[in-house]
C-alpha cells in the first residue's frame, strides 16, 4: 500500500513539474516588449568605483 501511494505521489509531482516547464510565453511580441523594457532599464555592474 505504501509503495502505491509513493508511486502516485511521484507521478503527480512529475506531472506538475512538466506542466510548469511548458508554461512559456504565449505572445512572442509581448515577450519581446518586456525584454526590451528590461534591457532599457538595465545598468551593467562594472565593478568600478
Amino acid at each position: 500500500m505504501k509503495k502505491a501511494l509513493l508511486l502516485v505521489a511521484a507521478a503527480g509531482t512529475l506531472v506538475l513539474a512538466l506542466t510548469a516547464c511548458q508554461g512559456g510565453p504565449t505572445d512572442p511580441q509581448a515577450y519581446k516588449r518586456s525584454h526590451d523594457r528590461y534591457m532599457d532599464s538595465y545598468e551593467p555592474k562594472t565593478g568600478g568605483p
Side-chain angles (χ1 to χ4, degrees):
M1 185 68 179
K2 284 186 178 182
K3 283 187 179 181
L5 188 58
L6 285 175
L7 185 60
V8 169
T13 303
L14 182 63
V15 167
L16 286 175
L18 289 175
T19 303
C21 290
Q22 294 177 356
T26 55
D27 182 8
Q29 293 302 321
Y31 174 80
K32 184 179 182 324
R33 287 190 303 271
S34 174
H35 180 263
D36 288 344
R37 271 195 311 270
Y38 169 74
M39 292 307 290
D40 287 343
S41 66
Y42 176 73
E43 294 182 13
K45 308 221 176 355
T46 60

